[in-house]
Amino acid sequence: MAYVPQDLLDRITALEREVRELRGRAQIRPAMNQILHGDTVIGEGGRLLVQDPDGDAIFETGQSPAGDWSVTMRRDTGAPAIGVGANTYPGDSAVNQMVRIFNRAGDVIVMDDYYADGYLGRPYVPVPVTPGVDVTSSTERTTHIGILHVQHRVVHATTSVYAPAGTTISMRYQLQLSGGVLAYEQIGNTFTVVGGAAGQELTNTQRIPIDRAHSERCRLMVRATRTAGSGTGTVFPFGLWGVNTATPEEA
């Protein structure tokens, strides 16, 4: 029998032991519930989905079917709760990247403006005004005034005007100019009510875009005058609200 050096046998024994250890470790499934170092990257159209047992995506992020990159959190019913991007709401443009918060019925209760970047869309914010004021003069006067902290790009204004028999009442809206100066410009259209033989009350609603920066503080006034007759008219602002834009032109 040929002579085999003892140290060579020891080396072979050690190698066999290491092979057995490696084989055993290869059968151990590594932990998949931790990422301790480095980034996890999802790209090229991929998405990360967290689903409930029914298959509803409770959390998802990645490229949406509209082509943008979105983030959506849903309730376990599948109804959206919070979302950024077109994947949140059917029919969205991938360009606008809106942020939305939904109630449990699926209605949007908080959002930024779809067309006007930098403005609030919802909730609507009221402009405080005083109750109805009588109009008894042919000299135009301020019947109502409110401080507008600009959050929206559009003011939704509803005002009722009463003109008694034989009397005509006109009203309009004015907004303080930028820069804090006490000068004003008309916004929206003048509304005129002719009392006729028996008098009448009519209501006017306007969507009025306002060219003011977000968070700017300015005065919004209702101005009215009696343009014909001698009766006493009344101006009732039913509601002045900041609202979201409805068309690109309003932005």
Side-chain angles (χ1 to χ4, degrees):
M1 178 177 180
Y3 172 72
V4 178
Q6 188 65 37
D7 64 337
L8 181 59
L9 295 175
D10 293 340
R11 291 179 184 179
I12 292 174
T13 301
L15 286 174
E16 290 177 343
R17 183 171 58 252
E18 291 177 1
V19 169
R20 286 195 298 271
E21 290 178 358
L22 289 173
R23 185 179 300 161
R25 290 178 181 178
Q27 302 301 316
I28 299 175
R29 184 175 181 179
M32 301 295 289
N33 59 354
Q34 292 183 355
I35 300 174
L36 301 179
H37 300 285
D39 300 327
T40 298
V41 179
I42 299 175
E44 298 184 6
R47 286 191 295 167
L48 172 65
L49 302 177
V50 178
Q51 297 179 329
D52 66 8
D54 297 327
D56 296 320
I58 303 305
F59 175 82
E60 57 184 297
T61 184
Q63 191 168 22
S64 77
D68 67 339
W69 293 83
S70 62
V71 178
T72 302
M73 296 177 63
R74 300 178 183 274
R75 296 179 171 87
D76 58 9
T77 61
I82 302 174
V84 180
N87 193 49
T88 307
Y89 206 71
D92 267 3
S93 165
V95 177
N96 295 71
Q97 282 281 291
M98 292 188 69
V99 178
R100 292 185 176 91
I101 298 177
F102 299 81
N103 63 16
R104 287 185 292 276
D107 302 317
V108 179
I109 56 176
V110 177
M111 70 180 189
D112 54 353
D113 196 287
Y114 188 76
Y115 295 111
D117 291 341
Y119 289 85
L120 179 66
R122 295 181 188 172
Y124 300 154
V125 178
V127 181
V129 292
T130 55
V133 173
D134 291 341
V135 180
T136 61
S137 173
S138 59
T139 300
E140 187 179 59
R141 60 170 294 201
T142 299
T143 59
H144 303 81
I145 187 168
I147 300 298
L148 173 64
H149 290 267
V150 178
Q151 301 292 317
H152 300 80
R153 190 66 174 81
V154 175
V155 170
H156 187 280
T158 299
T159 302
S160 180
V161 174
Y162 168 72
T167 302
T168 301
I169 303 295
S170 293
M171 60 77 58
R172 62 190 181 126
Y173 306 100
Q174 285 191 324
L175 187 64
Q176 185 180 2
L177 298 177
S178 295
V181 296
L182 290 180
Y184 301 85
E185 66 175 347
Q186 179 170 339
I187 59 173
N189 301 317
T190 299
F191 178 54
T192 299
V193 177
V194 179
Q200 66 173 336
E201 179 179 343
L202 298 176
T203 299
N204 171 260
T205 297
Q206 300 184 46
R207 293 180 57 90
I208 308 173
I210 55 173
D211 185 17
R212 298 292 185 273
H214 184 274
S215 298
E216 184 173 334
R217 183 177 181 270
C218 51
R219 298 182 183 184
L220 176 62
M221 301 192 305
V222 178
R223 303 273 290 172
T225 182
R226 184 176 63 195
T227 57
S230 57
T232 298
T234 309
V235 176
F236 304 90
F238 284 167
L240 300 176
W241 294 80
V243 299
N244 59 280
T245 60
T247 64
E249 291 72 25
E250 290 186 334

